[in-house]
Amino acid sequence: MDLSISGPLSGAFPAPTSALILAPKSPFFGSFKPRNSYLNNPLVSRQYFPIRAQVSDAPVDDDFVIDDVPHLTNFLPDLLSYPNPLQNSQAYAIVKQTFVRPEDVVAQKIVVQRDSSRGKHFRRAGPREKVYFTSEEVRACIVTCGGLCPGINTVIREIVCGLNYMYGVSDILGIQGGYRGFYSKNTLSLTPKVVNDIHKRGGTFLLTSRGGHDTQKIVDNIQDRRINQVYIIGGDGTQRGAARIFEEVEKRGLKVAVAGIPKTIDNDIAVIDKSFGFDTAVEEAQRAINAAHVEVESVENGIGIVKLMGRYSGFIAMFATLASRDVDCCLIPESPFYLEGKGGLFEFVEERLKENGHIVIVIAEGAGQEYLAQSMHGIDEKDASGNRLLLDVGLWLTQNIKDHFTKERKMAINMKYIDPTYMIRAIPSNASDNIYCTLLAQSAVHGAMAGYTGFTVGPVNSRHSYIPISHVTETHNTVKLTDRMWARLLASTNQPSFLNCDESRGGKVCKDTIDLINNMKITSI
């Protein structure tokens, strides 16, 4: 089959091998060497561009983009490869297809129309027939950064066990205390015995911190310790740091595979289906919502407010609301709301109190921050990771509702406020997340052993893929108010949308409002 390149990089400019068309002579099919002479120079900085691949006998509209990840052979073209030891593994002996085919990719868009482009694709994760490390030469390290999240210890455990059981690697280091641990802390020697039961605990076995990223010092330490595989578990700020580590490693021409495992309890990582710990967080949030519901239905005019995580996105609040069925109103950062006037929150609360005698409100921590900034004159401060410090919207909303009904409406109410944030973050992952963390860890190990670097791993349409780190750091995944899932929530709670609707068009939201939502940037946080 004849393949050709089209697009802005075709013709006089050879395509970077990091964004590869799936051609039979690519380095991942066998003997091909990079055509770009500049790619062989580790001191030259490069960017990774997607390549549009076309089958010559296929129609033009059948093209697709492969957004590939870097490989060690891009800047170390003479690197030796070895047969994958999994071919002799008892665990994989019964598997029909032990190794992922080089041409296997995962589509980012699963729903397409007949006349539309096939869209962007990512390289499928999994073991390869050839590896670029022997078990004896591997010295791996694992580091965890940022806030806590259920499942971190499971990922650590499964990286260690995956390297040891599948590839025979015994030299694995744990970097303590986040990025600064590379140059200011001692390391732990990690073995399957050491990490055997850490998945049963919350938090991180390796300790964590925010900030402390010094690329030069970190790569110096990697080089001094002869580390050649780096596994980095953390959120978008951590992954940006991982990208800088990869760039410095490439610049120095080091044989070091850098693999990122994206972590955020908020589920706001772009591209991937969901982040690990999210299912556990939603499940644990049910306990807080149930407690609020029990409290408020046991008193007259009971109002329960539960504040959940969600700095930029309201996924935990939305899914916990949908799962609970006891929530009357869900407020998230993506959906502006207002308190007073026709269709406002105060009016809705009063209606529910008259109808049911109680109400439960779930609010994400990033919701309504613009109101707090106006009323409380908040200072624009940031934490060590660069995240803006949020004001407590739960306490603010609690006080405003209390003032409205007791002072203005002269109604006696019973207010209950619950903030389970740290209880949720600190628990071990549930069964679903434990399985997910295992797949993430093993996929990262397979990728690093196969020579991929500067990548992060995650499920895209339920298939684990290798994704360029830039894709998971350039934007946040947010709830789309124009999608059906938010409509399902509104239908479930029967709460107001707090948007202007045109009654003459059957309650449809005006086009200007929809355009505003689609183009909305979260500026309040």
Side-chain angles (χ1 to χ4, degrees):
M1 180 173 62
D2 182 28
L3 292 174
S4 61
I5 301 175
S6 67
L9 298 178
S10 62
F13 297 93
T17 55
S18 56
L20 296 172
I21 57 171
L22 297 181
K25 291 185 179 180
S26 78
F28 308 109
F29 282 80
S31 60
F32 177 80
K33 300 298 181 185
R35 291 174 294 171
N36 307 46
S37 59
Y38 71 87
L39 290 180
N40 299 337
N41 183 356
L43 299 180
V44 177
S45 175
R46 298 174 297 109
Q47 291 182 333
Y48 296 93
F49 297 96
I51 295 298
R52 191 173 298 276
Q54 293 182 355
V55 181
S56 59
D57 56 352
V60 173
D61 62 356
D62 201 35
D63 62 336
F64 63 94
V65 174
I66 303 167
D67 216 346
D68 211 350
V69 295
H71 194 270
L72 289 173
T73 55
N74 292 347
F75 56 94
L76 297 171
D78 297 322
L79 213 56
L80 296 177
S81 63
Y82 312 92
N84 193 320
L86 285 179
Q87 64 186 6
N88 301 317
S89 167
Q90 185 177 359
Y92 278 80
I94 199 172
V95 177
K96 185 176 181 181
Q97 184 181 325
T98 302
F99 303 115
V100 173
R101 290 186 295 263
E103 62 269 22
D104 285 356
V105 293
V106 178
Q108 184 175 13
K109 287 173 56 180
I110 196 169
V111 178
V112 296
Q113 290 72 45
R114 179 178 296 181
D115 57 350
S116 66
S117 169
R118 293 171 64 181
K120 188 180 295 182
H121 297 70
F122 301 105
R123 189 171 290 277
R124 187 181 178 188
R128 264 52 183 181
E129 192 169 2
K130 296 290 184 181
V131 296
Y132 287 80
F133 295 91
T134 62
S135 58
E136 296 81 11
E137 74 172 306
V138 172
R139 168 170 275 194
C141 75
I142 307 170
V143 64
T144 59
C145 307
L148 297 183
C149 175
I152 297 176
N153 282 333
T154 306
V155 175
I156 296 170
R157 182 190 189 277
E158 295 309 317
I159 291 174
V160 173
C161 293
L163 282 167
N164 188 272
Y165 296 156
M166 294 188 295
Y167 291 99
V169 174
S170 58
D171 194 356
I172 308 169
L173 302 176
I175 306 297
Q176 293 180 288
Y179 275 136
R180 59 172 53 92
F182 275 101
Y183 50 86
S184 64
K185 293 276 187 179
N186 293 326
T187 59
L188 297 175
S189 179
L190 303 180
T191 65
K193 183 177 181 179
V194 169
V195 301
N196 181 55
D197 64 349
I198 64 172
H199 63 289
K200 299 177 183 178
R201 314 176 211 164
T204 167
F205 173 72
L206 295 178
L207 310 181
T208 186
S209 66
R210 295 187 183 274
H213 187 279
D214 187 317
T215 304
Q216 297 298 323
K217 286 185 179 180
I218 291 172
V219 178
D220 285 345
N221 188 273
I222 289 171
Q223 197 167 0
D224 292 343
R225 291 178 181 269
R226 303 190 312 280
I227 294 169
N228 50 26
Q229 289 187 9
V230 183
Y231 297 91
I232 301 172
I233 306 168
D236 55 349
T238 301
Q239 298 305 317
R240 280 192 289 270
R244 292 198 292 271
I245 291 172
F246 157 68
E247 290 166 1
E248 182 62 23
V249 162
E250 181 192 33
K251 180 180 177 181
R252 299 187 190 188
L254 304 177
K255 183 185 177 183
V256 177
V258 179
I261 296 91
K263 170 200 67 68
T264 172
I265 201 169
D266 293 347
N267 195 38
D268 61 358
I269 297 175
V271 182
I272 65 174
D273 296 345
K274 66 177 178 180
S275 53
F276 74 82
F278 176 71
D279 283 351
T280 305
V282 171
E283 183 177 303
E284 188 67 13
Q286 301 300 294
R287 301 177 186 272
I289 293 172
N290 183 61
H293 185 251
V294 169
E295 286 282 349
V296 299
E297 72 173 355
S298 301
V299 295
E300 185 178 1
N301 288 338
I303 301 176
I305 296 178
V306 180
K307 187 184 76 172
L308 298 176
M309 292 80 73
R311 175 176 289 272
Y312 301 104
S313 61
F315 285 105
I316 290 180
M318 180 174 71
F319 277 80
T321 296
L322 281 168
S324 170
R325 307 295 172 181
D326 288 331
V327 178
D328 297 277
C329 185
C330 177
L331 304 173
I332 61 175
E334 297 89 337
S335 180
F337 66 92
Y338 55 97
L339 300 179
E340 301 175 347
K342 181 69 174 176
L345 183 62
F346 288 157
E347 181 184 75
F348 177 72
V349 170
E350 186 170 351
E351 289 175 355
R352 280 297 163 95
L353 289 177
K354 291 178 180 178
E355 181 181 351
N356 299 328
H358 63 270
I359 183 172
V360 175
I361 301 171
V362 166
I363 185 165
E365 61 180 329
Q369 289 293 316
E370 63 272 18
Y371 301 124
L372 275 77
Q374 294 170 8
S375 62
M376 301 177 68
H377 306 290
I379 301 173
D380 189 11
E381 295 181 353
K382 296 183 179 181
D383 62 20
S385 296
N387 299 313
R388 181 174 176 181
L389 294 176
L390 302 181
L391 298 169
D392 194 327
V393 69
L395 287 175
W396 171 83
L397 184 61
T398 299
Q399 190 60 50
N400 273 269
I401 291 177
K402 186 182 298 185
D403 290 344
H404 173 79
F405 283 98
T406 57
K407 296 178 181 179
E408 295 185 28
R409 302 297 295 170
K410 308 299 181 183
M411 286 176 58
I413 61 171
N414 284 282
M415 181 68 69
K416 312 294 179 182
Y417 175 53
I418 299 177
D419 180 358
T421 300
Y422 292 105
M423 295 176 64
I424 293 175
R425 286 176 19 149
I427 63 172
S429 54
N430 64 11
S432 173
D433 272 321
N434 269 334
I435 295 171
Y436 178 26
C437 289
T438 300
L439 296 178
L440 282 174
Q442 291 189 3
S443 294
V445 168
H446 291 316
M449 290 298 297
Y452 294 112
T453 183
F455 71 90
T456 189
V457 64
V460 178
N461 292 319
S462 300
R463 290 290 185 270
H464 283 254
S465 309
Y466 297 136
I467 305 162
I469 291 179
S470 62
H471 287 356
V472 300
T473 60
E474 60 193 9
T475 185
H476 289 100
N477 188 30
T478 57
V479 174
K480 300 295 186 293
L481 301 187
T482 51
D483 283 356
R484 291 190 181 91
M485 187 58 76
W486 183 246
R488 293 179 182 120
L489 179 140
L490 296 179
S492 174
T493 61
N494 198 29
Q495 70 183 67
S497 66
F498 302 107
L499 300 175
N500 293 322
C501 297
D502 186 350
E503 298 294 341
S504 65
R505 298 171 59 241
K508 288 290 185 181
V509 178
C510 66
K511 183 180 183 302
D512 290 343
T513 303
I514 292 177
D515 291 340
L516 180 63
I517 291 171
N518 286 334
N519 298 320
M520 183 173 62
K521 303 294 182 184
I522 300 176
T523 57
S524 62
I525 50 178

